[in-house]
Amino acid sequence: MHLFEDLADRLNALVNSRRLRISLAALLALSAIALALSPVLMPPGPAGEPTLVAARDLSPGTLLAAADTKVIHIPGELRPSGALSGFRESGARLLTSAARTGEPLTDVRLVSPSHGPPGTSTVPIRLADPDVADLLHPGTRVDVVAADAHRRQLASAVTVVTVVAPTGDSPTPRSNATKGPLVLIAVPTEAATPLASAALDTPVTITLR
């Protein structure tokens, strides 16, 4: 009787040992398959550099909000110079020209409501015809022309930063309301002083780009 029990125990041990070896072999095979398929099952992270782009079509003068932008990754060699990496870099700034959906946003495309792009200075001017200011908005590109007999060009392809409406509360005999809106123009720094001087002495107007 004991002989049969001992034989049964050995057979059970042998079967269990074979099952263990089979289980281990199956586990190793599954591990190998998982490693081989890992590039497919786990795609690599985004390639390229984070770049801020327009999330929708944007018009000139848009005051950027987070919903207007998104971040995508593009290869470094395709990334424009001055491209922004995230919305925090854009801040609450105005778009100087239209942007299509997916177009990268760069530093020179944005101005603050009170300052122009890098390398520019902001010059306040009043137009000979105040009604023309109604056609302007932040980001409008214009030429500034002397409204005199010579009609000389004072600035070319410059950007309107903002238009300040007259308040009508000036203490001077000629009120701001009489003189019309104040137009702030971002011009190259070297051209700022000549333009400001000319605008003081000569009536000026603008042509729209």
Side-chain angles (χ1 to χ4, degrees), residues 20-141:
L20 179 60
R21 288 197 297 269
I22 292 172
S23 298
L24 289 175
L27 182 59
L28 290 174
L30 289 175
S31 299
I33 294 173
L35 288 174
L37 294 178
S38 59
V40 176
L41 298 177
M42 299 178 62
E49 301 179 32
T51 305
L52 191 71
V53 302
R56 59 184 181 84
D57 287 350
L58 300 173
S59 58
T62 298
L63 182 61
L64 285 183
D68 297 323
T69 66
K70 63 181 179 180
V71 175
I72 65 173
H73 290 75
I74 61 176
E77 63 271 17
L78 300 179
R79 196 171 187 265
S81 177
L84 306 181
S85 299
F87 178 72
R88 287 187 177 182
E89 295 181 38
S90 71
R93 289 195 279 175
L94 302 165
L95 192 63
T96 61
S97 56
R100 288 292 190 184
T101 302
E103 184 176 346
L105 301 177
T106 62
D107 52 358
V108 296
R109 300 279 301 278
L110 302 173
V111 297
S112 74
S114 57
H115 299 87
T120 67
S121 296
T122 302
V123 178
I125 61 173
R126 294 191 191 275
L127 304 180
D129 182 356
D131 291 337
V132 175
D134 293 336
L135 305 175
L136 305 177
H137 56 74
T140 303
R141 300 280 283 178

Side-chain angles (χ1 to χ4, degrees), residues 195-208:
L195 175 59
S197 299
L200 285 176
D201 300 331
T202 308
V204 296
T205 188
I206 54 97
T207 58
L208 303 178

